[in-house]
Coordinates of all heavy atoms in Angstrom, one line a residue:
Chain C
L20 N -34.5 12.2 -11.4 CA -34.0 12.1 -12.8 C -34.5 13.3 -13.6 O -35.7 13.7 -13.5 CB -34.3 10.8 -13.4 CG -33.9 9.5 -12.7 CD1 -34.3 8.3 -13.6 CD2 -32.5 9.6 -12.3
S21 N -33.7 13.8 -14.5 CA -34.1 14.8 -15.5 C -33.8 14.4 -16.9 O -32.9 13.6 -17.1 CB -33.3 16.1 -15.2 OG -33.6 16.6 -13.9
C22 N -34.5 15.0 -17.8 CA -34.4 14.7 -19.2 C -34.5 16.0 -20.0 O -35.6 16.6 -20.0 CB -35.4 13.6 -19.7 SG -35.4 13.4 -21.4
A23 N -33.4 16.4 -20.6 CA -33.4 17.6 -21.4 C -33.7 17.3 -22.9 O -33.0 16.4 -23.4 CB -32.1 18.3 -21.3
V24 N -34.6 17.9 -23.5 CA -35.1 17.6 -24.8 C -34.7 18.8 -25.8 O -34.8 20.0 -25.4 CB -36.6 17.4 -24.8 CG1 -37.2 17.5 -26.2 CG2 -36.9 16.0 -24.2
S25 N -34.3 18.4 -27.0 CA -34.1 19.4 -28.0 C -34.4 18.8 -29.4 O -34.4 17.6 -29.6 CB -32.7 20.0 -28.0 OG -31.7 18.9 -28.2
G26 N -34.6 19.7 -30.4 CA -34.8 19.3 -31.7 C -36.2 19.0 -32.1 O -36.5 18.6 -33.3
F27 N -37.2 19.1 -31.2 CA -38.6 18.9 -31.5 C -39.4 19.7 -30.5 O -38.9 20.1 -29.5 CB -39.0 17.4 -31.6 CG -38.9 16.7 -30.2 CD1 -40.0 16.6 -29.4 CD2 -37.7 16.1 -29.8 CE1 -39.9 16.0 -28.2 CE2 -37.6 15.4 -28.6 CZ -38.8 15.4 -27.8
T28 N -40.7 19.9 -30.9 CA -41.6 20.7 -30.1 C -42.1 19.9 -28.9 O -43.0 19.1 -29.1 CB -42.8 21.2 -30.9 OG1 -42.2 22.0 -32.0 CG2 -43.6 22.2 -30.1
F29 N -41.4 20.0 -27.8 CA -41.6 19.2 -26.6 C -43.1 19.0 -26.2 O -43.6 18.0 -25.9 CB -40.8 19.7 -25.5 CG -40.9 18.9 -24.2 CD1 -40.4 17.6 -24.2 CD2 -41.3 19.5 -23.0 CE1 -40.4 16.9 -23.0 CE2 -41.4 18.8 -21.8 CZ -40.9 17.5 -21.8
N30 N -43.8 20.2 -26.2 CA -45.2 20.2 -25.7 C -46.2 19.6 -26.7 O -47.4 19.6 -26.4 CB -45.6 21.5 -25.2 CG -45.6 22.6 -26.3 OD1 -45.4 22.3 -27.4 ND2 -45.7 23.8 -25.8
N31 N -45.7 19.0 -27.8 CA -46.6 18.3 -28.7 C -46.7 16.8 -28.4 O -47.4 16.1 -29.1 CB -46.1 18.5 -30.1 CG -46.5 19.9 -30.7 OD1 -47.3 20.6 -30.0 ND2 -46.1 20.2 -31.9
Y32 N -45.9 16.4 -27.5 CA -45.7 14.9 -27.4 C -45.9 14.4 -26.0 O -45.5 15.0 -25.0 CB -44.3 14.5 -27.8 CG -44.0 14.7 -29.3 CD1 -43.5 15.8 -29.8 CD2 -44.3 13.6 -30.2 CE1 -43.3 16.0 -31.1 CE2 -44.0 13.8 -31.5 CZ -43.5 15.0 -32.0 OH -43.3 15.2 -33.3
W33 N -46.5 13.2 -25.9 CA -46.4 12.4 -24.6 C -44.9 12.1 -24.4 O -44.2 11.9 -25.4 CB -47.2 11.1 -24.8 CG -48.7 11.2 -24.7 CD1 -49.5 11.7 -25.6 CD2 -49.5 10.8 -23.5 NE1 -50.8 11.5 -25.1 CE2 -50.8 11.0 -23.9 CE3 -49.1 10.2 -22.3 CZ2 -51.8 10.7 -23.0 CZ3 -50.2 9.9 -21.4 CH2 -51.5 10.1 -21.8
M34 N -44.6 12.0 -23.2 CA -43.2 11.5 -22.8 C -43.3 10.4 -21.8 O -44.3 10.2 -21.1 CB -42.4 12.7 -22.3 CG -42.1 13.8 -23.3 SD -41.1 13.3 -24.7 CE -39.5 13.0 -23.9
G35 N -42.2 9.7 -21.6 CA -42.2 8.6 -20.6 C -40.8 8.2 -20.2 O -39.8 8.7 -20.7
W36 N -40.8 7.3 -19.2 CA -39.6 6.7 -18.8 C -39.7 5.1 -18.9 O -40.8 4.6 -18.6 CB -39.4 7.0 -17.3 CG -39.0 8.5 -17.0 CD1 -39.9 9.5 -16.7 CD2 -37.8 9.1 -17.1 NE1 -39.3 10.6 -16.6 CE2 -37.9 10.5 -16.8 CE3 -36.5 8.6 -17.3 CZ2 -36.8 11.4 -16.8 CZ3 -35.4 9.5 -17.3 CH2 -35.6 10.8 -17.1
V37 N -38.6 4.5 -19.3 CA -38.6 3.1 -19.4 C -37.3 2.7 -18.7 O -36.3 3.4 -18.9 CB -38.6 2.6 -20.9 CG1 -38.3 1.1 -21.0 CG2 -39.9 3.0 -21.6
R38 N -37.3 1.6 -18.0 CA -36.1 1.2 -17.3 C -35.6 -0.3 -17.7 O -36.4 -1.0 -18.3 CB -36.2 1.2 -15.8 CG -37.2 0.3 -15.2 CD -37.4 0.5 -13.7 NE -38.4 -0.4 -13.1 CZ -38.7 -0.3 -11.8 NH1 -38.2 0.6 -11.0 NH2 -39.6 -1.2 -11.3
Q39 N -34.4 -0.5 -17.5 CA -33.8 -1.8 -17.8 C -32.9 -2.3 -16.7 O -31.8 -1.6 -16.5 CB -33.1 -1.8 -19.1 CG -32.6 -3.1 -19.6 CD -32.1 -3.1 -21.0 OE1 -31.5 -2.1 -21.5 NE2 -32.3 -4.2 -21.8
A40 N -33.3 -3.2 -15.9 CA -32.4 -3.8 -14.8 C -31.2 -4.5 -15.4 O -31.3 -5.0 -16.6 CB -33.2 -4.7 -13.9
P41 N -30.1 -4.6 -14.7 CA -28.9 -5.2 -15.2 C -29.2 -6.6 -15.8 O -29.7 -7.5 -15.1 CB -28.0 -5.3 -14.0 CG -28.5 -4.2 -13.2 CD -29.9 -4.1 -13.3
G42 N -28.9 -6.8 -17.1 CA -29.0 -8.1 -17.7 C -30.5 -8.5 -18.0 O -30.7 -9.7 -18.4
K43 N -31.4 -7.6 -17.8 CA -32.8 -7.9 -18.0 C -33.4 -7.1 -19.2 O -32.7 -6.4 -19.9 CB -33.6 -7.5 -16.7 CG -33.1 -8.3 -15.5 CD -33.3 -9.7 -15.5 CE -32.9 -10.4 -14.2 NZ -33.1 -11.9 -14.3
G44 N -34.7 -7.3 -19.4 CA -35.4 -6.7 -20.5 C -35.9 -5.3 -20.1 O -35.7 -4.7 -19.0
L45 N -36.7 -4.7 -21.0 CA -37.2 -3.4 -20.9 C -38.5 -3.4 -20.1 O -39.3 -4.3 -20.2 CB -37.5 -2.7 -22.3 CG -36.3 -2.7 -23.2 CD1 -36.7 -2.2 -24.6 CD2 -35.3 -1.7 -22.7
E46 N -38.7 -2.4 -19.2 CA -39.9 -2.3 -18.5 C -40.4 -0.8 -18.4 O -39.6 0.1 -18.1 CB -39.7 -2.7 -17.0 CG -40.9 -2.6 -16.2 CD -40.7 -2.9 -14.7 OE1 -39.6 -2.5 -14.1 OE2 -41.6 -3.5 -14.0
W47 N -41.6 -0.6 -18.9 CA -42.2 0.7 -18.9 C -42.4 1.2 -17.4 O -42.8 0.4 -16.6 CB -43.6 0.7 -19.6 CG -44.4 1.9 -19.3 CD1 -44.2 3.2 -19.8 CD2 -45.6 2.0 -18.5 NE1 -45.1 4.0 -19.4 CE2 -46.0 3.3 -18.6 CE3 -46.4 1.1 -17.8 CZ2 -47.2 3.8 -17.9 CZ3 -47.5 1.5 -17.1 CH2 -47.9 2.8 -17.2
V48 N -42.1 2.4 -17.1 CA -42.2 3.0 -15.8 C -43.4 4.0 -15.7 O -44.2 3.9 -14.8 CB -40.9 3.7 -15.4 CG1 -41.1 4.3 -14.0 CG2 -39.8 2.7 -15.3
A49 N -43.4 5.0 -16.5 CA -44.4 6.0 -16.4 C -44.5 6.8 -17.7 O -43.6 6.9 -18.5 CB -44.1 7.0 -15.3
N50 N -45.7 7.3 -18.0 CA -46.0 8.2 -19.1 C -46.7 9.5 -18.7 O -47.4 9.5 -17.6 CB -46.9 7.6 -20.2 CG -46.2 6.5 -21.0 OD1 -45.0 6.4 -21.1 ND2 -47.0 5.7 -21.6
I51 N -46.5 10.6 -19.4 CA -47.2 11.9 -19.0 C -47.7 12.5 -20.4 O -46.9 12.5 -21.4 CB -46.3 12.8 -18.3 CG1 -47.0 14.0 -17.8 CG2 -45.0 13.1 -19.0 CD1 -46.2 14.8 -16.8
K52 N -48.9 13.0 -20.3 CA -49.5 13.7 -21.4 C -48.8 15.0 -21.7 O -48.1 15.5 -20.9 CB -51.0 13.9 -21.2 CG -51.8 14.2 -22.4 CD -53.3 14.4 -22.0 CE -54.1 14.7 -23.2 NZ -55.6 14.8 -22.9
Q53 N -49.1 15.6 -22.9 CA -48.4 16.8 -23.3 C -48.5 17.9 -22.3 O -47.5 18.6 -22.1 CB -49.1 17.3 -24.6 CG -48.7 16.4 -25.9 CD -49.8 15.4 -26.1 OE1 -50.4 14.8 -25.2 NE2 -49.9 15.0 -27.4
D54 N -49.7 18.1 -21.7 CA -49.9 19.2 -20.8 C -49.7 18.8 -19.3 O -50.0 19.6 -18.4 CB -51.2 19.9 -21.0 CG -52.4 18.9 -20.8 OD1 -52.1 17.7 -20.4 OD2 -53.6 19.3 -20.9
G55 N -49.4 17.6 -19.1 CA -49.2 17.1 -17.7 C -50.5 16.7 -17.0 O -50.4 16.3 -15.8
S56 N -51.6 16.7 -17.7 CA -52.9 16.5 -17.1 C -53.1 15.0 -16.9 O -54.0 14.7 -16.1 CB -54.0 17.1 -17.9 OG -54.0 16.5 -19.2
E57 N -52.5 14.1 -17.5 CA -52.6 12.7 -17.4 C -51.3 12.0 -17.1 O -50.3 12.3 -17.8 CB -53.3 12.0 -18.6 CG -54.7 12.5 -18.8 CD -55.3 11.8 -20.1 OE1 -55.0 10.6 -20.3 OE2 -56.1 12.5 -20.7
K58 N -51.2 11.2 -16.1 CA -50.0 10.5 -15.8 C -50.3 9.1 -15.4 O -51.3 8.8 -14.8 CB -49.3 11.1 -14.5 CG -49.0 12.6 -14.7 CD -48.5 13.2 -13.4 CE -48.3 14.7 -13.5 NZ -47.8 15.3 -12.3
Y59 N -49.5 8.2 -15.9 CA -49.7 6.7 -15.7 C -48.4 6.0 -15.3 O -47.4 6.4 -15.7 CB -50.2 6.1 -17.0 CG -51.6 6.7 -17.5 CD1 -51.5 7.7 -18.5 CD2 -52.8 6.3 -17.0 CE1 -52.7 8.3 -18.9 CE2 -54.0 6.8 -17.4 CZ -53.9 7.8 -18.4 OH -55.1 8.4 -18.8
Y60 N -48.6 5.0 -14.4 CA -47.5 4.4 -13.8 C -47.6 2.9 -13.8 O -48.7 2.4 -13.7 CB -47.2 4.8 -12.3 CG -47.1 6.3 -12.1 CD1 -48.2 7.1 -11.9 CD2 -45.8 6.9 -12.1 CE1 -48.0 8.5 -11.7 CE2 -45.7 8.3 -11.9 CZ -46.8 9.0 -11.7 OH -46.6 10.4 -11.5
V61 N -46.5 2.2 -13.9 CA -46.5 0.7 -13.7 C -46.8 0.5 -12.2 O -46.5 1.3 -11.3 CB -45.2 0.0 -14.1 CG1 -44.1 0.5 -13.2 CG2 -45.3 -1.4 -14.1
D62 N -47.5 -0.6 -11.9 CA -48.0 -0.8 -10.5 C -46.9 -0.8 -9.5 O -47.0 -0.3 -8.4 CB -48.7 -2.2 -10.4 CG -50.1 -2.1 -10.9 OD1 -50.6 -1.0 -11.2 OD2 -50.7 -3.2 -11.1
S63 N -45.7 -1.3 -9.9 CA -44.6 -1.4 -8.9 C -44.0 -0.1 -8.4 O -43.3 -0.1 -7.5 CB -43.5 -2.3 -9.5 OG -43.0 -1.7 -10.7
V64 N -44.3 1.0 -9.1 CA -43.8 2.3 -8.7 C -44.9 3.2 -8.2 O -44.5 4.3 -7.7 CB -42.9 2.9 -9.8 CG1 -41.9 2.0 -10.3 CG2 -43.8 3.5 -10.9
K65 N -46.1 2.9 -8.3 CA -47.2 3.8 -7.9 C -47.1 4.1 -6.5 O -46.8 3.3 -5.6 CB -48.6 3.1 -8.2 CG -49.0 3.1 -9.6 CD -50.3 2.4 -9.8 CE -50.8 2.3 -11.2 NZ -52.0 1.5 -11.4
G66 N -47.2 5.4 -6.2 CA -47.1 5.9 -4.8 C -45.7 6.2 -4.4 O -45.4 6.8 -3.4
R67 N -44.7 5.8 -5.2 CA -43.3 6.1 -4.9 C -42.6 7.0 -5.9 O -41.8 7.8 -5.6 CB -42.5 4.8 -4.8 CG -43.0 3.8 -3.8 CD -42.1 2.6 -3.6 NE -41.9 1.8 -4.9 CZ -40.7 1.6 -5.5 NH1 -39.6 2.1 -5.0 NH2 -40.7 0.9 -6.6
F68 N -43.0 6.9 -7.2 CA -42.4 7.7 -8.2 C -43.4 8.7 -8.7 O -44.6 8.4 -8.8 CB -42.0 6.8 -9.4 CG -40.8 5.9 -9.2 CD1 -40.3 5.7 -7.9 CD2 -40.3 5.2 -10.3 CE1 -39.2 4.8 -7.7 CE2 -39.2 4.4 -10.1 CZ -38.6 4.2 -8.8
T69 N -42.9 9.8 -9.2 CA -43.8 10.9 -9.8 C -43.1 11.4 -11.0 O -42.0 11.9 -11.0 CB -44.0 12.1 -8.8 OG1 -44.6 11.6 -7.6 CG2 -44.9 13.1 -9.4
I70 N -43.9 11.3 -12.1 CA -43.4 11.9 -13.4 C -44.0 13.3 -13.5 O -45.1 13.6 -13.1 CB -43.8 11.0 -14.6 CG1 -43.1 11.5 -15.8 CG2 -45.3 10.9 -14.7 CD1 -43.3 10.5 -17.1
S71 N -43.1 14.2 -14.0 CA -43.6 15.6 -14.3 C -42.8 16.2 -15.5 O -41.9 15.6 -15.9 CB -43.4 16.4 -13.0 OG -42.0 16.5 -12.7
R72 N -43.3 17.3 -15.9 CA -42.6 18.0 -17.0 C -42.7 19.5 -16.9 O -43.7 20.0 -16.3 CB -43.2 17.5 -18.4 CG -44.7 17.9 -18.6 CD -45.3 17.1 -19.7 NE -44.7 17.5 -21.0 CZ -44.8 16.8 -22.1 NH1 -45.4 15.6 -22.1 NH2 -44.2 17.2 -23.3
D73 N -41.8 20.2 -17.5 CA -41.8 21.6 -17.5 C -41.6 22.0 -19.0 O -40.5 22.0 -19.5 CB -40.6 22.2 -16.7 CG -40.7 23.7 -16.6 OD1 -41.2 24.4 -17.5 OD2 -40.1 24.3 -15.6
N74 N -42.8 22.3 -19.6 CA -42.7 22.6 -21.1 C -41.9 23.8 -21.4 O -41.4 24.0 -22.5 CB -44.1 22.7 -21.6 CG -44.8 21.3 -21.7 OD1 -44.2 20.3 -21.6 ND2 -46.1 21.3 -21.8
A75 N -41.9 24.8 -20.5 CA -41.1 26.0 -20.7 C -39.6 25.7 -20.8 O -38.8 26.4 -21.4 CB -41.4 27.0 -19.6
K76 N -39.2 24.7 -20.1 CA -37.8 24.3 -20.0 C -37.5 23.1 -20.9 O -36.3 22.5 -20.9 CB -37.3 24.0 -18.6 CG -37.4 25.2 -17.7 CD -36.9 24.9 -16.3 CE -36.9 26.1 -15.4 NZ -36.5 25.8 -14.0
N77 N -38.5 22.6 -21.6 CA -38.3 21.4 -22.5 C -37.6 20.2 -21.7 O -36.7 19.6 -22.1 CB -37.3 21.7 -23.7 CG -38.1 22.5 -24.7 OD1 -39.3 22.7 -24.7 ND2 -37.3 23.1 -25.6
S78 N -38.2 20.0 -20.5 CA -37.6 19.0 -19.6 C -38.7 18.1 -19.0 O -39.8 18.5 -18.7 CB -36.9 19.7 -18.5 OG -35.7 20.4 -18.9
L79 N -38.2 16.9 -18.8 CA -39.0 15.8 -18.2 C -38.3 15.4 -16.9 O -37.1 15.4 -16.9 CB -39.2 14.6 -19.2 CG -39.9 13.4 -18.7 CD1 -41.4 13.7 -18.6 CD2 -39.6 12.2 -19.6

Side-chain angles (χ1 to χ4, degrees):
Chain C
L20 305 184
S21 299
C22 172
V24 159
S25 60
F27 64 93
T28 305
F29 182 62
N30 59 12
N31 281 354
Y32 293 89
W33 282 77
M34 296 293 295
W36 293 92
V37 174
R38 66 185 179 184
Q39 186 171 33
K43 302 295 185 183
L45 302 171
E46 180 185 39
W47 167 70
V48 175
N50 284 345
I51 185 169
K52 195 177 179 180
Q53 289 93 328
D54 61 0
S56 61
E57 295 181 33
K58 304 175 185 182
Y59 301 95
Y60 303 89
V61 68
D62 282 349
S63 60
V64 309
K65 281 179 184 174
R67 301 188 299 122
F68 289 12
T69 302
I70 188 171
S71 63
R72 64 192 295 164
D73 185 334
N74 288 343
K76 294 183 178 180
N77 286 347
S78 293
L79 177 73

